[in-house]
Amino acid sequence: MNASTEYLLNKATVAQIVEHLRVCNADFVPPLSDRVDIAGYAEKIANKAVRFEAWSGDTMVGLIAAYCNDKERGIAYITSVSLLKAWIGKGIATQLLSQCVEYAKASGMHQISLEVAENNTPAIKLYKKSGFIVDKVKGPFINMNLYFKGREQHEQQT
């Protein structure tokens, strides 16, 4: 892919999110459609999440959706990370994740949480590279967190 990548916030329509998630469906571990109704999930993302999007022309090639609305606890939650297969390895997911982290910090969050399949090695590697740590294993999934103030300060506050 030689086309340029443009990074945008909340540009995609529900239909574009549905299309992107359907194309990426089998790349989720386990497949996204095994866990959610993609159309309903896309609508929830469009209406309630902050979306960090990577575009090449009219095609959304990458998406991170995060909920940054738990002001009381100061915890943001990444609900979805997806990238079109042809765009993997180009630094796009790292860039989108960095934008998400900066947005969460600017929104007053002190932590970002996410859940990832324990056998999704590429995703775990990406999250660890970005400073996330494994907090607990729940069945086939791992909870990972990124603490902005440092884990010790967070634990003292809770």
Side-chain angles (χ1 to χ4, degrees):
M1 299 280 134
N2 291 332
S4 64
T5 307
E6 185 177 13
Y7 295 93
L8 301 170
L9 189 67
N10 299 328
K11 175 187 185 255
T13 64
V14 173
Q16 289 169 317
I17 296 169
V18 168
E19 175 64 21
H20 175 81
L21 292 177
R22 284 191 174 144
V23 171
C24 294
N25 180 49
D27 299 326
F28 283 88
V29 180
L32 187 60
S33 61
D34 288 358
R35 295 178 280 151
V36 299
D37 167 66
I38 290 178
Y41 184 55
E43 189 168 337
K44 182 179 179 187
I45 286 173
N47 292 327
K48 299 187 185 246
V50 179
R51 299 176 322 275
F52 305 89
E53 305 164 358
W55 291 82
S56 178
D58 293 334
T59 303
M60 184 167 49
V61 300
L63 171 68
I64 291 182
Y67 301 111
C68 295
N69 52 7
D70 186 349
K71 302 290 185 188
E72 188 174 306
R73 295 184 335 168
I75 300 173
Y77 182 77
I78 295 176
T79 186
S80 183
V81 176
S82 53
L83 198 61
L84 297 183
K85 201 169 256 189
W87 293 80
I88 292 172
K90 301 185 182 314
I92 294 170
T94 300
Q95 178 65 29
L96 291 172
L97 193 54
S98 175
Q99 290 176 4
C100 179
V101 168
E102 290 309 310
Y103 184 95
K105 284 180 183 177
S107 297
M109 303 288 117
H110 63 77
Q111 173 185 341
I112 299 179
S113 294
L114 59 83
E115 190 175 85
V116 61
E118 67 180 344
N119 60 345
N120 191 342
T121 306
I124 293 168
K125 183 178 175 185
L126 168 70
Y127 303 140
K128 284 184 174 179
K129 182 174 81 172
S130 297
F132 284 78
I133 58 169
V134 173
D135 267 356
K136 59 184 155 186
V137 178
K138 295 188 326 188
F141 291 95
I142 297 171
N143 283 0
M144 297 184 77
N145 290 296
L146 175 65
Y147 297 95
F148 303 144
K149 294 181 179 178
R151 186 180 180 119
E152 298 76 20
Q153 288 178 341
H154 167 73
E155 289 175 347
Q156 290 171 359
Q157 293 173 357
T158 56

